[in-house]
Amino acid sequence: MQVDPRGQRFAAAVTTAVLAIVLVTGSVWLLAAQALVFAAAVAAGVRRSPYGLLYAWLIRPRLGPPPETEDPAPPRFAQAVGLVFALAGLVGYLAVGAWLGIAATALALLAAFLNAAFGLCLGCEMYLLMRRLTPAGRTP
């Protein structure tokens, strides 16, 4: 089933706000919560993620139908990439050093901001590039 790209941008905007707060406060708990949101999107799909459900319940009913829809696989992969960066941030804040936590969180924030502000999903672009480079018959 296709997904509404506006929902992905909404999720990216919420993620941007959450990660900005993490960088300002250094809150490991908030970063852990965002990692759980990423994990839910990977496990259940972007439509059934916490931010996807929030969009479906609160925002989507107030909008008209989307002008276009998209394949959910690239955004789901992007959520997996976000999860990796969030986990790296947690490891940094908890074990290695704040510098790793800050760097990983800042990179995830940059990617979320680019999606929210400009519709440029870096994880989606990575997914599509990997698909082009993968031999036919195999999936990444």
Side-chain angles (χ1 to χ4, degrees), residues 15 20-21 30-31 35 40 42 48 51 61 64 82 100 104 108 121 124-125 130 135:
T15 300
I21 293 169
L30 189 56
L31 183 57
V42 172
R48 286 176 253 126
Y51 299 158
L100 178 59
C121 175
C124 300
E125 295 299 324
M130 288 173 46

Side-chain angles (χ1 to χ4, degrees), residues 41-55:
V42 172
V46 292
R47 290 182 56 163
R48 286 176 253 126
S49 72
Y51 299 158
L53 293 173
L54 188 64
Y55 173 78

